[in-house]
Amino acid sequence: MNNNISPAIIDKAGDLIHRAKNIVLTCHYNPDGDAIGSCLGMQHILKNRGKTVSVIVPNDFPGFLRWMPGAKKIVINKQNPEKAIDLIDHADLLIHLDFNQASRLDTLQEAIKNTKAKSIMIDHHLEPETFTNLMLSDPKASSTGELVFEFSATLWGKKAIDYNAAICLYVAIMTDTGSFQYSCTTDKVHSIVADLLKTGISPNEIYDQVYNQFSENRLKLYGFCLAERMEILPHLHLGIINLSQEDLRKFKNRKGDTEGIVNLPLQIKGIRMAVLVTERESEVKLSFRSKGKIDVSSFARKYFNGGGHYNAAGGNSSESLSSTINTLKKTIIETKISMS
Ligand SMILES: [Mn+2]
């Protein structure tokens, strides 16, 4: 297991799982590939150990994750709160995956408030908050999927990760490493992936199911962002893309459609920091990506009520779209962050 998580904690977590019968797995609001992949992977592993296991997510997740084994049975709290409450009431253990602040459960926070169940967090984001009985946190891990693999293999051996679990954990690791390109892609990641492939899963089919599922509108939105909404500031090594509510409506935006857009400016030579500023119904959302020693997590936390990872973070602003962009540029120039 990872050096950052002590064997004693893994044993304790194993003990909680051993004593539990009904287990509920949850992840963060707006679930991504790692969140859904880790939950479903853990679900398959625990079901094989004779547990009754449900996955509850705060709100809906993108269509390109819905093909995964077990995905159709995921309970979406926003759509079916009675079911979510019922499962939580009957649970004796909650495992929270891929987030480390209770607030990221959104409306599900209310649902777990009165639970008598024990709880475990398994996560890789920076600066965890204590809200569970046990915390398995390793910000050096590429993904929660990696941690779920290591945790399960340590407790029950690699055989505990079957074909279906391997598919889900592969999605988790693939999406959080940007298909094995980010700096978190260690030798350990590749050795875990080698173990996953040994179960017979097909990397090209999984890639295709996750990434080559664009609607025509989504690909046109990408083109529109690049042609009409991208501002490149070469002297700052910076690229900013902005999207208004009207832009999103024009391309019949669906959940997940804007995913990946933030990375596009980083394809330009010399650009080392990229920001996507999106006007949502009640707030303006910011996504940050960077290369090398540009700590966008601290930046997002300090100036835009957010956080995340060193090279990938998010935040929000209650200002208008245009004044958010102005504030953003001013802050970047003042802090010289993109010049780090
Ligand atoms: Mn993750």
Side-chain angles (χ1 to χ4, degrees), residues 167-222:
I167 290 177
C168 302
L169 296 182
Y170 188 90
V171 170
I173 297 170
M174 178 184 76
T175 53
D176 258 27
T177 57
S179 303
F180 313 104
Q181 60 158 318
Y182 301 150
S183 56
C184 59
T185 311
T186 57
D187 58 334
K188 185 179 272 172
V189 166
H190 278 288
S191 111
I192 289 172
V193 165
D195 283 324
L196 296 178
L197 293 186
K198 281 177 196 157
T199 66
I201 63 169
S202 163
N204 64 314
E205 275 171 31
I206 295 175
Y207 186 97
D208 199 49
Q209 297 262 39
V210 172
Y211 291 115
N212 299 336
Q213 302 295 327
F214 276 49
S215 64
E216 187 183 333
N217 273 317
R218 186 177 175 197
L219 195 56
K220 283 181 171 163
L221 174 66
Y222 263 57

Side-chain angles (χ1 to χ4, degrees), residues 28 186 230 253 264 293 308:
H28 55 80
T186 57
M230 182 170 73
N253 175 66
L264 296 173
K293 293 201 163 35

Side-chain angles (χ1 to χ4, degrees), residues 34 98 124 176:
D34 189 27
D98 201 38
H124 70 130
D176 258 27

Side-chain angles (χ1 to χ4, degrees), residues 28-328:
H28 55 80
Y29 187 81
N30 289 339
D32 58 7
D34 189 27
I36 298 292
S38 299
C39 282
L40 291 175
M42 190 93 240
Q43 184 181 35
H44 292 298
I45 293 165
L46 294 176
K47 273 190 168 177
N48 291 341
R49 310 205 68 72
K51 308 295 177 186
T52 304
V53 195
S54 326
V55 176
I56 307 178
V57 301
N59 63 335
D60 204 0
F61 52 97
F64 60 80
L65 298 173
R66 229 165 271 154
W67 60 274
M68 289 158 72
K72 292 199 174 66
K73 288 203 171 132
I74 290 178
V75 177
I76 299 162
N77 183 54
K78 245 190 185 156
Q79 296 171 4
N80 201 348
E82 296 84 14
K83 176 90 179 161
I85 294 263
D86 185 55
L87 288 168
I88 290 165
D89 280 349
H90 289 92
D92 29 38
L93 178 64
L94 307 179
I95 305 179
H96 301 300
L97 295 149
D98 201 38
F99 67 100
N100 64 14
Q101 296 170 337
S103 62
R104 299 206 66 210
L105 281 166
D106 198 56
T107 52
L108 206 47
Q109 218 181 331
E110 187 65 28
I112 65 160
K113 215 173 63 188
N114 299 316
T115 181
K116 290 184 190 71
K118 297 273 186 218
S119 56
I120 302 172
M121 171 220 292
I122 304 180
D123 179 65
H124 70 130
H125 293 84
L126 293 162
E127 299 192 21
E129 161 193 302
T130 308
F131 68 99
T132 53
N133 297 109
L134 278 180
M135 195 159 88
L136 282 76
S137 164
D138 181 3
K140 288 214 166 76
S142 66
S143 52
T144 302
E146 173 181 337
L147 293 175
V148 168
F149 179 94
E150 291 245 287
F151 173 74
S152 307
T154 305
L155 280 173
W156 307 303
K158 287 177 186 172
K159 287 234 155 55
I161 297 110
D162 68 358
Y163 177 82
N164 281 335
I167 290 177
C168 302
L169 296 182
Y170 188 90
V171 170
I173 297 170
M174 178 184 76
T175 53
D176 258 27
T177 57
S179 303
F180 313 104
Q181 60 158 318
Y182 301 150
S183 56
C184 59
T185 311
T186 57
D187 58 334
K188 185 179 272 172
V189 166
H190 278 288
S191 111
I192 289 172
V193 165
D195 283 324
L196 296 178
L197 293 186
K198 281 177 196 157
T199 66
I201 63 169
S202 163
N204 64 314
E205 275 171 31
I206 295 175
Y207 186 97
D208 199 49
Q209 297 262 39
V210 172
Y211 291 115
N212 299 336
Q213 302 295 327
F214 276 49
S215 64
E216 187 183 333
N217 273 317
R218 186 177 175 197
L219 195 56
K220 283 181 171 163
L221 174 66
Y222 263 57
F224 173 79
C225 284
L226 294 175
E228 307 288 341
R229 293 289 183 264
M230 182 170 73
E231 185 181 1
I232 295 299
L233 303 151
H235 57 294
L236 295 174
H237 307 290
L238 174 69
I240 301 173
I241 294 176
N242 75 82
L243 280 170
S244 68
Q245 282 273 290
E246 203 186 322
D247 295 338
L248 294 172
R249 267 195 297 273
K250 189 171 156 195
F251 292 93
K252 301 185 176 55
N253 175 66
R254 298 185 58 172
K255 200 165 236 343
D257 277 2
T258 53
E259 210 146 306
I261 290 175
V262 61
N263 296 304
L264 296 173
L266 293 178
Q267 292 188 30
I268 297 173
K269 190 172 175 177
I271 299 303
R272 303 184 58 229
M273 176 171 173
V275 191
L276 172 65
V277 190
T278 317
E279 185 186 31
R280 296 287 177 189
E281 266 152 43
S282 54
E283 60 176 14
V284 172
K285 275 196 62 184
L286 296 101
S287 297
F288 303 91
R289 294 293 183 274
S290 66
K291 289 181 185 175
K293 293 201 163 35
I294 299 177
D295 178 4
V296 288
S297 173
S298 303
F299 183 81
R301 180 171 296 120
K302 194 162 176 196
Y303 300 105
F304 294 99
N305 327 299
H309 304 287
Y310 196 90
N311 293 123
N316 62 69
S317 156
S318 50
E319 293 178 37
S320 70
L321 180 63
S322 60
S323 57
T324 300
I325 296 167
N326 286 336
T327 306
L328 172 72

Side-chain angles (χ1 to χ4, degrees), residues 3-36:
N3 305 331
N4 295 308
I5 298 173
S6 79
I9 292 200
I10 296 164
D11 282 348
K12 278 186 190 162
D15 199 48
L16 283 184
I17 291 173
H18 181 70
R19 279 186 278 152
K21 196 176 170 303
N22 296 311
I23 302 176
V24 164
L25 311 176
T26 74
C27 65
H28 55 80
Y29 187 81
N30 289 339
D32 58 7
D34 189 27
I36 298 292

